[in-house]
Structure formats: structure tokens, C-alpha cells
Amino acid sequence: MPRAVLPAIADEGAIELEFETFGDPGNPTLLLVNGFTSQMIVWETELIEGLVAQDLYVIIYDNRDVGLSTKLDGQRVQPMKVLRAIIAGEPVEVPYTLSAMAADGMGLLSHLGIDQAHIAGVSMGGMIVQMMAIEHPERVLSLCSIMSSPGDPDYGQPSPEARTALLAPPSIEREAYINDSIRAKVWLSKKHFSEEVTRDRSARQFDRIFYPEGFTRQLAAIYATGDRSERLQQLNVATLVIHGRDDELISASGGERTAELIDGSRYLLLSDMGHDLPAPLAPVFAEAIGGHIRVSNISNISITV
């Protein structure tokens, strides 16, 4: 797969992003952004094909510190210490924040010669695309925030069971790691849960690359970025927010609050969706995102008399 080398920013070294594209580059671009510690290979084929069928040029990539993109080896951080400092209003130092991860995505677009794009992200990826819209508004044609939240601790909190499962240390042996993936059942779509699919997805990610060190830095980036509520209220971009009633990792109040904050946004709450994008719902997601982009494309056209 191709790799983009992004220019170094400040004292940070160059970041390399592994990416893949689908569809006709002459069509409107849709940049998809992964969630916490997930690799780009987890995007369901049915969803990618459905989006391409919506006449979109789709780009996926590995975020920094996961998959085959740049790893910030050895940069230690304690996420819980960062969270306590944020709550106490104290300054924090972290290897990077979601702002840097948002800049990575914009850098990938620049590498591909794309000035503007539609953006969609899931979970932490939803937080990242929110930051893209906040900090790079001139490059964002439309925004889709999926199973995410604005960072306000009063909204989108996980259930105790989901929090425990998320924060459990990963096993380092392949079979144990794959077996542990079933813990995610607590937050996955109840109607569409498949142990076979869950285990296969886990195995593919482990075999591609196993890098648990990135877990702490990405989690610290989420905590250090904090509440985006005030900045989201200033956005002027066509926005679709998608969430699932079954989501126990980021509860539906996170999506509802995001939609409330962004003026004119649309909110799609799906009954059979948890904290995932199950293949049976791929046609629903593709049509919702494609329709949202088509509407935003019309509103983005400038008419000169």
C-alpha cells in the first residue's frame, strides 16, 4: 500500500501515514478516519464499496501510533495522570493531541493534491474530524461524526462494563489476544454481533502489526484535547451525526450532544447499532453519508449573478 510522508511540524519528526484509496479520484473525496487503536483494514468491504457506489473517492489510512504508520516509540505517558490533571485544570504534557492527529489527515490530503474533502470519523476518529473542522475549516466540505462525542464529560460516558473491557491490558500472545477481543461484545451491536467476525477482525489486526504501546498515547491525546463544545458551536459546516442506541462505549448522549452543539446538523440514531459499523448496516451508512454529501455539495456551490 502507498505511504505519505508528511512534513515535520515544530520539533516533531516527519510522520508517515499508510493509506489506501478507492474509486475515481475525479469524484468528491471522502476521508475516513479510524477510531481508537484501530487499523484501516477494519473498514468493512461492504461499506467501502457502498460509498464508492455513491460516486465518492474514498481514502482510508492508519492514524499515527497504529497500524503501519509512524510510531512514537519510547514516548511514555500515563493517561490517567493526564485525565486527573485536566479535571483539576492543571497543565499537561503529552506526546501529541487530537489536533496533531487532525493535521495528519489534512497532510495526507495535501500529499494527494486534494484541497478540500468531505470527512467522516468513527469514535476517536469522530473526535479527530471534529478537530479538522474546527482547525481547518477551509478544507472541510462536510462533516460526519459517528459514534463519538464533543469531549464534555457529562455526555457519552461508557457503561462500567465497557470501561473495564476497554482499559484491560491487551494480551501479547496471538491466541489470547484474539480470545480477548470477545470482551468488546459489551459495546458492539447486539443484533448483529458475530463472534466469528470479531475474532477474524482481531486476528487480521494482530497479524498485520501488534503495537500496544500506541494505546496509552492515543488515550492521552483524547484526554489532553478536552472539551470541544464551545468550538463546535462556532462551526459553519454541513454536519451529520450518527449514533447507535446499543452503544455502551460512548453512550448515545455523546452523539445527541454533538448534534445539539453544531448548528443545523442532522442526527441519525439507529436502533440496531452499537459501537461499531456492522456489515448488515453498510447500505444504511453508505446511503446516509452519500446523501449527506450530495446535499452539502449543492449548498457549497457558489452562484454568481
Side-chain angles (χ1 to χ4, degrees), residues 2 4 6 16-22 31-35 38-41 43 59-64 66-69 100-106 108-109 120 125 128-129 132 208:
L6 310 185
E16 298 186 13
L17 299 180
E18 191 84 1
F19 70 94
E20 188 170 6
T21 64
F22 305 86
L31 181 70
L32 296 180
V33 185
N34 277 77
S38 72
Q39 301 180 38
M40 67 179 183
I41 59 172
W43 290 102
I59 303 171
I60 61 175
Y61 67 100
D62 286 327
N63 284 311
R64 60 169 66 192
V66 71
L68 302 183
S69 291
M101 301 183 81
D104 289 346
M106 294 295 100
L108 174 57
L109 291 178
I128 293 172
V129 295
M132 289 178 178
R208 186 169 181 248

Side-chain angles (χ1 to χ4, degrees), residues 13-14 28 49 59 89 101 127 199 210 247-248 257-258 284 291:
E49 292 178 346
I59 303 171
M101 301 183 81
M127 303 173 192
R199 291 173 63 87
F210 176 62
D247 195 335
E248 292 194 32
R257 182 57 177 162
T258 303
V284 177

Side-chain angles (χ1 to χ4, degrees), residues 119 126-127 129-131 133-134 140 142-146 148-150 228-242 254-267 292:
I119 57 175
M127 303 173 192
V129 295
Q130 290 171 26
M131 291 303 297
I134 290 168
V140 176
S142 76
L143 167 66
C144 183
S145 178
I146 306 170
S148 194
S149 78
R228 296 173 293 283
S229 296
E230 289 188 11
R231 289 175 290 178
L232 289 174
Q233 288 180 304
Q234 306 305 313
L235 287 183
N236 181 25
V237 61
T239 300
L240 171 65
V241 178
I242 302 176
E256 182 178 3
R257 182 57 177 162
T258 303
E260 289 175 349
L261 290 167
I262 303 175
D263 186 46
S265 63
R266 297 187 299 130
Y267 182 45
H292 169 63

Side-chain angles (χ1 to χ4, degrees), residues 38-264:
S38 72
Q39 301 180 38
M40 67 179 183
I41 59 172
V42 304
W43 290 102
E44 296 286 354
T45 300
E46 294 87 347
L47 177 57
I48 297 291
E49 292 178 346
L51 292 168
V52 170
Q54 299 284 322
D55 294 326
L56 295 172
Y57 178 54
V58 179
I59 303 171
I60 61 175
Y61 67 100
D62 286 327
N63 284 311
R64 60 169 66 192
D65 259 341
V66 71
L68 302 183
S69 291
T70 292
K71 315 296 188 305
L72 281 76
D73 295 326
Q75 296 196 31
R76 305 297 179 187
V77 64
Q78 298 178 39
M80 294 302 109
K81 185 176 180 180
V82 171
L83 178 59
R84 288 193 295 271
I86 291 295
I87 293 173
E90 300 172 353
V92 296
E93 290 188 11
V94 292
Y96 54 84
T97 66
L98 296 183
S99 290
M101 301 183 81
D104 289 346
M106 294 295 100
L108 174 57
L109 291 178
S110 296
H111 172 83
L112 294 171
I114 298 170
D115 294 328
Q116 295 180 305
H118 303 275
I119 57 175
V122 294
S123 194
M124 181 189 74
M127 303 173 192
I128 293 172
V129 295
Q130 290 171 26
M131 291 303 297
M132 289 178 178
I134 290 168
E135 298 183 341
H136 309 274
E138 73 286 352
R139 305 196 64 181
V140 176
L141 295 172
S142 76
L143 167 66
C144 183
S145 178
I146 306 170
M147 56 191 183
S148 194
S149 78
D152 183 336
D154 290 333
Y155 300 91
Q157 287 301 305
S159 68
E161 296 80 9
R163 185 190 300 273
T164 298
L166 177 70
L167 297 179
S171 298
I172 61 174
E173 299 296 334
R174 184 179 187 275
E175 287 307 311
Y177 179 87
I178 295 170
N179 290 335
D180 287 348
S181 68
I182 304 305
R183 292 189 301 222
K185 183 177 181 179
V186 66
W187 65 66
L188 298 178
S189 302
K190 294 177 174 59
K191 179 177 180 179
H192 302 294
F193 173 76
S194 166
E195 181 172 330
E196 180 182 358
V197 170
T198 302
R199 291 173 63 87
D200 176 69
R201 182 184 298 117
S202 176
R204 287 188 291 116
Q205 291 196 89
F206 187 95
D207 291 342
R208 186 169 181 248
I209 186 170
F210 176 62
Y211 188 72
E213 187 180 321
F215 176 103
T216 57
R217 290 191 290 269
Q218 288 194 353
L219 187 58
I222 294 172
Y223 290 153
T225 303
D227 188 355
R228 296 173 293 283
S229 296
E230 289 188 11
R231 289 175 290 178
L232 289 174
Q233 288 180 304
Q234 306 305 313
L235 287 183
N236 181 25
V237 61
T239 300
L240 171 65
V241 178
I242 302 176
H243 221 103
R245 291 186 187 275
D246 287 350
D247 195 335
E248 292 194 32
L249 188 58
I250 297 180
S251 64
S253 66
E256 182 178 3
R257 182 57 177 162
T258 303
E260 289 175 349
L261 290 167
I262 303 175
D263 186 46

